[in-house]
Amino acid sequence: QVQLVESGGGLVQAGGSLRLSCAASGRTFSVLTMGWFRQAPGNEREFVSAINWNGGNTYFADSVKGRFTISRDNAKNTVYLQMNSLKPEDTAVYYCAANTYYSGSRKDNRASYDYWGQGTQVTVSS
């Protein structure tokens, strides 16, 4: 079992920045990939970014490339999502997810992840 807890969400004006954190606990040695997804009201949960736990390869949705960065601190078992130049359309609940069973699975596919956090709200005002 892997437990994930997100933090860092909040209300920010357009153009501002936020940094989300996802702290993992439990069988963290089994984590292969960590991902961030988001879900706005009425929309499906969509991929935002992912990072390989070892090696550090990163992946981004086109909508956030150049504005968001993802990083990890293996010693703290924590993944960060730095969000800059935020737009109102970035408003959503952001979820952290962990893939522990297959490193070759698609990083942008929700089905590739077997553990999820409870989510943190990000609201960007115009």
Side-chain angles (χ1 to χ4, degrees):
Q1 292 279 347
V2 176
Q3 294 78 42
L4 304 173
V5 178
E6 303 98 332
S7 61
L11 173 64
V12 64
Q13 288 188 334
S17 299
L18 281 175
R19 188 178 81 156
L20 305 183
S21 301
C22 174
S25 60
R27 297 172 60 90
T28 56
F29 59 86
S30 64
V31 173
L32 300 171
T33 304
M34 295 289 290
W36 286 97
F37 288 75
R38 66 187 182 187
Q39 188 168 18
N43 291 355
E44 291 190 354
R45 194 170 297 189
E46 65 175 7
F47 171 74
V48 175
S49 182
I51 186 167
N52 289 343
W53 200 244
N54 296 307
N57 289 349
T58 59
Y59 310 83
F60 296 93
D62 288 343
S63 59
V64 306
K65 279 182 182 176
R67 300 188 298 124
F68 291 11
T69 59
I70 189 171
S71 61
R72 76 203 191 287
D73 184 334
N74 294 49
K76 295 183 178 179
N77 292 322
T78 299
V79 173
Y80 304 97
L81 184 69
Q82 178 66 42
M83 307 185 295
N84 299 326
S85 301
L86 283 162
K87 305 175 182 179
E89 50 263 44
D90 293 318
T91 295
V93 177
Y94 283 70
Y95 296 90
C96 175
N99 167 13
T100 66
Y101 65 92
Y102 179 44
S103 62
S105 56
R106 285 188 55 175
K107 306 300 186 286
D108 61 348
N109 189 336
R110 287 177 294 172
S112 298
Y113 297 85
D114 45 343
Y115 294 98
W116 292 83
Q118 82 289 350
T120 185
Q121 176 71 46
V122 171
T123 303
V124 184
S125 63
S126 57

